[in-house]
PDB file of all heavy atoms in Angstrom:
ATOM      1  N   ASP Z   1       0.819  -1.207  -0.002  1.00  0.00           N
ATOM      2  CA  ASP Z   1       0.003   0.001   0.002  1.00  0.00           C
ATOM      3  C   ASP Z   1       0.861   1.272   0.007  1.00  0.00           C
ATOM      4  O   ASP Z   1       0.481   2.282  -0.597  1.00  0.00           O
ATOM      5  CB  ASP Z   1      -0.925   0.003   1.216  1.00  0.00           C
ATOM      6  CG  ASP Z   1      -1.948  -1.126   1.178  1.00  0.00           C
ATOM      7  OD1 ASP Z   1      -2.144  -1.667   0.080  1.00  0.00           O
ATOM      8  OD2 ASP Z   1      -2.499  -1.441   2.239  1.00  0.00           O
ATOM      9  N   LEU Z   2       2.021   1.191   0.651  1.00  0.00           N
ATOM     10  CA  LEU Z   2       2.896   2.367   0.721  1.00  0.00           C
ATOM     11  C   LEU Z   2       3.416   2.729  -0.669  1.00  0.00           C
ATOM     12  O   LEU Z   2       3.392   3.906  -1.081  1.00  0.00           O
ATOM     13  CB  LEU Z   2       4.043   2.112   1.687  1.00  0.00           C
ATOM     14  CG  LEU Z   2       3.687   1.942   3.149  1.00  0.00           C
ATOM     15  CD1 LEU Z   2       4.936   1.595   3.974  1.00  0.00           C
ATOM     16  CD2 LEU Z   2       3.033   3.203   3.684  1.00  0.00           C
ATOM     17  N   SER Z   3       3.901   1.734  -1.402  1.00  0.00           N
ATOM     18  CA  SER Z   3       4.430   2.017  -2.732  1.00  0.00           C
ATOM     19  C   SER Z   3       3.322   2.361  -3.701  1.00  0.00           C
ATOM     20  O   SER Z   3       3.528   3.225  -4.596  1.00  0.00           O
ATOM     21  CB  SER Z   3       5.235   0.804  -3.248  1.00  0.00           C
ATOM     22  OG  SER Z   3       4.447  -0.376  -3.203  1.00  0.00           O
ATOM     23  N   GLU Z   4       2.156   1.751  -3.550  1.00  0.00           N
ATOM     24  CA  GLU Z   4       1.027   2.106  -4.428  1.00  0.00           C
ATOM     25  C   GLU Z   4       0.592   3.543  -4.190  1.00  0.00           C
ATOM     26  O   GLU Z   4       0.313   4.286  -5.159  1.00  0.00           O
ATOM     27  CB  GLU Z   4      -0.161   1.161  -4.176  1.00  0.00           C
ATOM     28  CG  GLU Z   4       0.084  -0.276  -4.610  1.00  0.00           C
ATOM     29  CD  GLU Z   4       0.318  -0.399  -6.110  1.00  0.00           C
ATOM     30  OE1 GLU Z   4      -0.251   0.429  -6.867  1.00  0.00           O
ATOM     31  OE2 GLU Z   4       1.085  -1.271  -6.517  1.00  0.00           O
ATOM     32  N   ALA Z   5       0.538   3.973  -2.936  1.00  0.00           N
ATOM     33  CA  ALA Z   5       0.173   5.353  -2.634  1.00  0.00           C
ATOM     34  C   ALA Z   5       1.213   6.313  -3.197  1.00  0.00           C
ATOM     35  O   ALA Z   5       0.885   7.410  -3.707  1.00  0.00           O
ATOM     36  CB  ALA Z   5       0.075   5.541  -1.125  1.00  0.00           C
ATOM     37  N   ALA Z   6       2.492   5.920  -3.119  1.00  0.00           N
ATOM     38  CA  ALA Z   6       3.561   6.790  -3.677  1.00  0.00           C
ATOM     39  C   ALA Z   6       3.439   6.892  -5.195  1.00  0.00           C
ATOM     40  O   ALA Z   6       3.654   7.968  -5.760  1.00  0.00           O
ATOM     41  CB  ALA Z   6       4.916   6.216  -3.277  1.00  0.00           C
ATOM     42  N   LYS Z   7       3.059   5.812  -5.861  1.00  0.00           N
ATOM     43  CA  LYS Z   7       2.889   5.849  -7.314  1.00  0.00           C
ATOM     44  C   LYS Z   7       1.740   6.765  -7.690  1.00  0.00           C
ATOM     45  O   LYS Z   7       1.797   7.489  -8.690  1.00  0.00           O
ATOM     46  CB  LYS Z   7       2.664   4.437  -7.858  1.00  0.00           C
ATOM     47  CG  LYS Z   7       3.896   3.540  -7.802  1.00  0.00           C
ATOM     48  CD  LYS Z   7       3.576   2.136  -8.317  1.00  0.00           C
ATOM     49  CE  LYS Z   7       4.796   1.229  -8.202  1.00  0.00           C
ATOM     50  NZ  LYS Z   7       4.488  -0.152  -8.637  1.00  0.00           N
ATOM     51  N   ILE Z   8       0.671   6.724  -6.904  1.00  0.00           N
ATOM     52  CA  ILE Z   8      -0.473   7.598  -7.162  1.00  0.00           C
ATOM     53  C   ILE Z   8      -0.070   9.061  -7.040  1.00  0.00           C
ATOM     54  O   ILE Z   8      -0.538   9.931  -7.778  1.00  0.00           O
ATOM     55  CB  ILE Z   8      -1.631   7.270  -6.187  1.00  0.00           C
ATOM     56  CG1 ILE Z   8      -2.181   5.867  -6.504  1.00  0.00           C
ATOM     57  CG2 ILE Z   8      -2.744   8.312  -6.274  1.00  0.00           C
ATOM     58  CD1 ILE Z   8      -3.224   5.378  -5.518  1.00  0.00           C
ATOM     59  N   ASP Z   9       0.867   9.325  -6.100  1.00  0.00           N
ATOM     60  CA  ASP Z   9       1.372  10.702  -5.910  1.00  0.00           C
ATOM     61  C   ASP Z   9       2.366  11.089  -6.979  1.00  0.00           C
ATOM     62  O   ASP Z   9       2.916  12.214  -6.938  1.00  0.00           O
ATOM     63  CB  ASP Z   9       2.010  10.837  -4.542  1.00  0.00           C
ATOM     64  CG  ASP Z   9       0.984  10.792  -3.407  1.00  0.00           C
ATOM     65  OD1 ASP Z   9      -0.210  11.055  -3.712  1.00  0.00           O
ATOM     66  OD2 ASP Z   9       1.362  10.460  -2.280  1.00  0.00           O
ATOM     67  N   GLY Z  10       2.683  10.180  -7.897  1.00  0.00           N
ATOM     68  CA  GLY Z  10       3.571  10.521  -9.006  1.00  0.00           C
ATOM     69  C   GLY Z  10       5.034  10.182  -8.797  1.00  0.00           C
ATOM     70  O   GLY Z  10       5.868  10.626  -9.593  1.00  0.00           O
ATOM     71  N   LEU Z  11       5.347   9.422  -7.753  1.00  0.00           N
ATOM     72  CA  LEU Z  11       6.736   9.078  -7.495  1.00  0.00           C
ATOM     73  C   LEU Z  11       7.163   7.902  -8.369  1.00  0.00           C
ATOM     74  O   LEU Z  11       6.408   6.965  -8.571  1.00  0.00           O
ATOM     75  CB  LEU Z  11       6.931   8.719  -6.023  1.00  0.00           C
ATOM     76  CG  LEU Z  11       6.689   9.831  -4.984  1.00  0.00           C
ATOM     77  CD1 LEU Z  11       7.056   9.330  -3.602  1.00  0.00           C
ATOM     78  CD2 LEU Z  11       7.472  11.078  -5.318  1.00  0.00           C
ATOM     79  N   GLY Z  12       8.389   7.996  -8.885  1.00  0.00           N
ATOM     80  CA  GLY Z  12       8.930   6.873  -9.650  1.00  0.00           C
ATOM     81  C   GLY Z  12       9.632   5.869  -8.748  1.00  0.00           C
ATOM     82  O   GLY Z  12       9.675   6.041  -7.519  1.00  0.00           O
ATOM     83  N   HIS Z  13      10.167   4.821  -9.352  1.00  0.00           N
ATOM     84  CA  HIS Z  13      10.787   3.748  -8.554  1.00  0.00           C
ATOM     85  C   HIS Z  13      11.989   4.275  -7.733  1.00  0.00           C
ATOM     86  O   HIS Z  13      12.133   3.866  -6.566  1.00  0.00           O
ATOM     87  CB  HIS Z  13      11.248   2.636  -9.487  1.00  0.00           C
ATOM     88  CG  HIS Z  13      10.108   1.849 -10.063  1.00  0.00           C
ATOM     89  ND1 HIS Z  13       9.189   1.169  -9.292  1.00  0.00           N
ATOM     90  CD2 HIS Z  13       9.745   1.640 -11.380  1.00  0.00           C
ATOM     91  CE1 HIS Z  13       8.331   0.556 -10.079  1.00  0.00           C
ATOM     92  NE2 HIS Z  13       8.601   0.830 -11.332  1.00  0.00           N
ATOM     93  N   TRP Z  14      12.823   5.120  -8.317  1.00  0.00           N
ATOM     94  CA  TRP Z  14      13.978   5.623  -7.577  1.00  0.00           C
ATOM     95  C   TRP Z  14      13.563   6.400  -6.341  1.00  0.00           C
ATOM     96  O   TRP Z  14      14.149   6.244  -5.242  1.00  0.00           O
ATOM     97  CB  TRP Z  14      14.875   6.474  -8.474  1.00  0.00           C
ATOM     98  CG  TRP Z  14      15.762   5.659  -9.348  1.00  0.00           C
ATOM     99  CD1 TRP Z  14      15.636   5.485 -10.683  1.00  0.00           C
ATOM    100  CD2 TRP Z  14      16.907   4.900  -8.949  1.00  0.00           C
ATOM    101  NE1 TRP Z  14      16.627   4.665 -11.157  1.00  0.00           N
ATOM    102  CE2 TRP Z  14      17.438   4.285 -10.121  1.00  0.00           C
ATOM    103  CE3 TRP Z  14      17.547   4.692  -7.728  1.00  0.00           C
ATOM    104  CZ2 TRP Z  14      18.554   3.468 -10.085  1.00  0.00           C
ATOM    105  CZ3 TRP Z  14      18.670   3.868  -7.710  1.00  0.00           C
ATOM    106  CH2 TRP Z  14      19.165   3.274  -8.865  1.00  0.00           C
ATOM    107  N   LYS Z  15      12.545   7.294  -6.483  1.00  0.00           N
ATOM    108  CA  LYS Z  15      12.104   8.081  -5.344  1.00  0.00           C
ATOM    109  C   LYS Z  15      11.418   7.197  -4.300  1.00  0.00           C
ATOM    110  O   LYS Z  15      11.522   7.443  -3.114  1.00  0.00           O
ATOM    111  CB  LYS Z  15      11.183   9.204  -5.797  1.00  0.00           C
ATOM    112  CG  LYS Z  15      11.915  10.312  -6.511  1.00  0.00           C
ATOM    113  CD  LYS Z  15      11.008  11.530  -6.742  1.00  0.00           C
ATOM    114  CE  LYS Z  15      11.817  12.694  -7.339  1.00  0.00           C
ATOM    115  NZ  LYS Z  15      10.954  13.889  -7.570  1.00  0.00           N
ATOM    116  N   ILE Z  16      10.690   6.190  -4.767  1.00  0.00           N
ATOM    117  CA  ILE Z  16      10.047   5.262  -3.808  1.00  0.00           C
ATOM    118  C   ILE Z  16      11.125   4.532  -2.995  1.00  0.00           C
ATOM    119  O   ILE Z  16      10.990   4.362  -1.785  1.00  0.00           O
ATOM    120  CB  ILE Z  16       9.158   4.271  -4.541  1.00  0.00           C
ATOM    121  CG1 ILE Z  16       7.944   4.983  -5.173  1.00  0.00           C
ATOM    122  CG2 ILE Z  16       8.682   3.136  -3.612  1.00  0.00           C
ATOM    123  CD1 ILE Z  16       7.083   4.098  -6.055  1.00  0.00           C
ATOM    124  N   LEU Z  17      12.174   4.093  -3.697  1.00  0.00           N
ATOM    125  CA  LEU Z  17      13.260   3.393  -3.002  1.00  0.00           C
ATOM    126  C   LEU Z  17      13.931   4.321  -1.978  1.00  0.00           C
ATOM    127  O   LEU Z  17      14.173   3.912  -0.834  1.00  0.00           O
ATOM    128  CB  LEU Z  17      14.304   2.910  -4.027  1.00  0.00           C
ATOM    129  CG  LEU Z  17      15.593   2.323  -3.478  1.00  0.00           C
ATOM    130  CD1 LEU Z  17      15.313   1.047  -2.665  1.00  0.00           C
ATOM    131  CD2 LEU Z  17      16.584   2.035  -4.595  1.00  0.00           C
ATOM    132  N   LEU Z  18      14.220   5.569  -2.393  1.00  0.00           N
ATOM    133  CA  LEU Z  18      14.951   6.483  -1.519  1.00  0.00           C
ATOM    134  C   LEU Z  18      14.109   7.046  -0.397  1.00  0.00           C
ATOM    135  O   LEU Z  18      14.638   7.267   0.714  1.00  0.00           O
ATOM    136  CB  LEU Z  18      15.512   7.665  -2.373  1.00  0.00           C
ATOM    137  CG  LEU Z  18      16.568   7.280  -3.406  1.00  0.00           C
ATOM    138  CD1 LEU Z  18      16.937   8.470  -4.263  1.00  0.00           C
ATOM    139  CD2 LEU Z  18      17.834   6.742  -2.699  1.00  0.00           C
ATOM    140  N   THR Z  19      12.828   7.276  -0.638  1.00  0.00           N
ATOM    141  CA  THR Z  19      12.003   7.957   0.397  1.00  0.00           C
ATOM    142  C   THR Z  19      11.184   7.013   1.246  1.00  0.00           C
ATOM    143  O   THR Z  19      10.748   7.389   2.339  1.00  0.00           O
ATOM    144  CB  THR Z  19      11.044   8.960  -0.291  1.00  0.00           C
ATOM    145  OG1 THR Z  19      10.208   8.265  -1.204  1.00  0.00           O
ATOM    146  CG2 THR Z  19      11.835  10.015  -1.032  1.00  0.00           C
ATOM    147  N   ILE Z  20      10.967   5.779   0.785  1.00  0.00           N
ATOM    148  CA  ILE Z  20      10.118   4.847   1.550  1.00  0.00           C
ATOM    149  C   ILE Z  20      10.917   3.596   1.980  1.00  0.00           C
ATOM    150  O   ILE Z  20      11.008   3.284   3.173  1.00  0.00           O
ATOM    151  CB  ILE Z  20       8.877   4.418   0.718  1.00  0.00           C
ATOM    152  CG1 ILE Z  20       8.019   5.639   0.431  1.00  0.00           C
ATOM    153  CG2 ILE Z  20       8.070   3.351   1.466  1.00  0.00           C
ATOM    154  CD1 ILE Z  20       6.798   5.332  -0.414  1.00  0.00           C
ATOM    155  N   PHE Z  21      11.464   2.885   1.028  1.00  0.00           N
ATOM    156  CA  PHE Z  21      12.059   1.576   1.318  1.00  0.00           C
ATOM    157  C   PHE Z  21      13.338   1.715   2.167  1.00  0.00           C
ATOM    158  O   PHE Z  21      13.507   0.984   3.152  1.00  0.00           O
ATOM    159  CB  PHE Z  21      12.324   0.809   0.041  1.00  0.00           C
ATOM    160  CG  PHE Z  21      11.099   0.133  -0.510  1.00  0.00           C
ATOM    161  CD1 PHE Z  21      10.137   0.896  -1.169  1.00  0.00           C
ATOM    162  CD2 PHE Z  21      10.902  -1.210  -0.354  1.00  0.00           C
ATOM    163  CE1 PHE Z  21       8.996   0.281  -1.669  1.00  0.00           C
ATOM    164  CE2 PHE Z  21       9.773  -1.832  -0.847  1.00  0.00           C
ATOM    165  CZ  PHE Z  21       8.812  -1.081  -1.506  1.00  0.00           C
ATOM    166  N   ILE Z  22      14.251   2.585   1.769  1.00  0.00           N
ATOM    167  CA  ILE Z  22      15.486   2.691   2.531  1.00  0.00           C
ATOM    168  C   ILE Z  22      15.269   3.203   3.932  1.00  0.00           C
ATOM    169  O   ILE Z  22      15.816   2.643   4.889  1.00  0.00           O
ATOM    170  CB  ILE Z  22      16.500   3.562   1.734  1.00  0.00           C
ATOM    171  CG1 ILE Z  22      16.971   2.820   0.498  1.00  0.00           C
ATOM    172  CG2 ILE Z  22      17.697   3.933   2.613  1.00  0.00           C
ATOM    173  CD1 ILE Z  22      17.958   3.586  -0.357  1.00  0.00           C
ATOM    174  N   PRO Z  23      14.449   4.264   4.141  1.00  0.00           N
ATOM    175  CA  PRO Z  23      14.209   4.700   5.536  1.00  0.00           C
ATOM    176  C   PRO Z  23      13.571   3.632   6.428  1.00  0.00           C
ATOM    177  O   PRO Z  23      13.794   3.619   7.624  1.00  0.00           O
ATOM    178  CB  PRO Z  23      13.261   5.898   5.370  1.00  0.00           C
ATOM    179  CG  PRO Z  23      13.573   6.423   4.005  1.00  0.00           C
ATOM    180  CD  PRO Z  23      13.855   5.215   3.164  1.00  0.00           C
ATOM    181  N   LEU Z  24      12.766   2.750   5.833  1.00  0.00           N
ATOM    182  CA  LEU Z  24      12.110   1.688   6.600  1.00  0.00           C
ATOM    183  C   LEU Z  24      12.999   0.448   6.768  1.00  0.00           C
ATOM    184  O   LEU Z  24      12.588  -0.471   7.471  1.00  0.00           O
ATOM    185  CB  LEU Z  24      10.797   1.282   5.910  1.00  0.00           C
ATOM    186  CG  LEU Z  24       9.679   2.312   5.916  1.00  0.00           C
ATOM    187  CD1 LEU Z  24       8.475   1.810   5.133  1.00  0.00           C
ATOM    188  CD2 LEU Z  24       9.250   2.692   7.343  1.00  0.00           C
ATOM    189  N   SER Z  25      14.143   0.435   6.140  1.00  0.00           N
ATOM    190  CA  SER Z  25      14.981  -0.777   6.106  1.00  0.00           C
ATOM    191  C   SER Z  25      16.222  -0.669   7.005  1.00  0.00           C
ATOM    192  O   SER Z  25      17.199  -1.355   6.760  1.00  0.00           O
ATOM    193  CB  SER Z  25      15.410  -1.065   4.659  1.00  0.00           C
ATOM    194  OG  SER Z  25      14.302  -1.208   3.823  1.00  0.00           O
ATOM    195  N   GLY Z  26      16.151   0.183   8.020  1.00  0.00           N
ATOM    196  CA  GLY Z  26      17.299   0.324   8.905  1.00  0.00           C
ATOM    197  C   GLY Z  26      17.800  -0.977   9.498  1.00  0.00           C
ATOM    198  O   GLY Z  26      18.999  -1.259   9.454  1.00  0.00           O
ATOM    199  N   PRO Z  27      16.912  -1.862  10.022  1.00  0.00           N
ATOM    200  CA  PRO Z  27      17.405  -3.143  10.588  1.00  0.00           C
ATOM    201  C   PRO Z  27      18.089  -4.026   9.567  1.00  0.00           C
ATOM    202  O   PRO Z  27      19.130  -4.599   9.839  1.00  0.00           O
ATOM    203  CB  PRO Z  27      16.109  -3.787  11.110  1.00  0.00           C
ATOM    204  CG  PRO Z  27      15.192  -2.664  11.383  1.00  0.00           C
ATOM    205  CD  PRO Z  27      15.473  -1.645  10.333  1.00  0.00           C
ATOM    206  N   ALA Z  28      17.518  -4.136   8.357  1.00  0.00           N
ATOM    207  CA  ALA Z  28      18.134  -4.994   7.334  1.00  0.00           C
ATOM    208  C   ALA Z  28      19.450  -4.417   6.832  1.00  0.00           C
ATOM    209  O   ALA Z  28      20.398  -5.142   6.599  1.00  0.00           O
ATOM    210  CB  ALA Z  28      17.153  -5.175   6.192  1.00  0.00           C
ATOM    211  N   ILE Z  29      19.501  -3.095   6.707  1.00  0.00           N
ATOM    212  CA  ILE Z  29      20.746  -2.454   6.260  1.00  0.00           C
ATOM    213  C   ILE Z  29      21.812  -2.625   7.329  1.00  0.00           C
ATOM    214  O   ILE Z  29      22.981  -2.887   7.032  1.00  0.00           O
ATOM    215  CB  ILE Z  29      20.500  -0.973   5.924  1.00  0.00           C
ATOM    216  CG1 ILE Z  29      19.611  -0.852   4.699  1.00  0.00           C
ATOM    217  CG2 ILE Z  29      21.828  -0.240   5.700  1.00  0.00           C
ATOM    218  CD1 ILE Z  29      19.208   0.564   4.351  1.00  0.00           C
ATOM    219  N   ALA Z  30      21.436  -2.452   8.606  1.00  0.00           N
ATOM    220  CA  ALA Z  30      22.394  -2.637   9.708  1.00  0.00           C
ATOM    221  C   ALA Z  30      22.908  -4.063   9.716  1.00  0.00           C
ATOM    222  O   ALA Z  30      24.108  -4.315   9.965  1.00  0.00           O
ATOM    223  CB  ALA Z  30      21.742  -2.297  11.043  1.00  0.00           C
TER     224      ALA Z  30
END
């Protein structure tokens, strides 16, 4: 739902990755 909402707002894949997925992935990145 988060990525779908971002697409509706006009965000592309790169912006979705940078603004949604990476900030939410702190534990996996660590």
Side-chain angles (χ1 to χ4, degrees):
D1 295 341
L2 295 176
S3 54
E4 292 298 329
K7 290 179 182 177
I8 293 174
D9 290 338
L11 297 184
H13 289 300
W14 280 107
K15 286 190 175 180
I16 293 174
L17 173 64
L18 294 174
T19 60
I20 297 177
F21 280 76
I22 290 180
L24 292 176
S25 304
I29 293 175

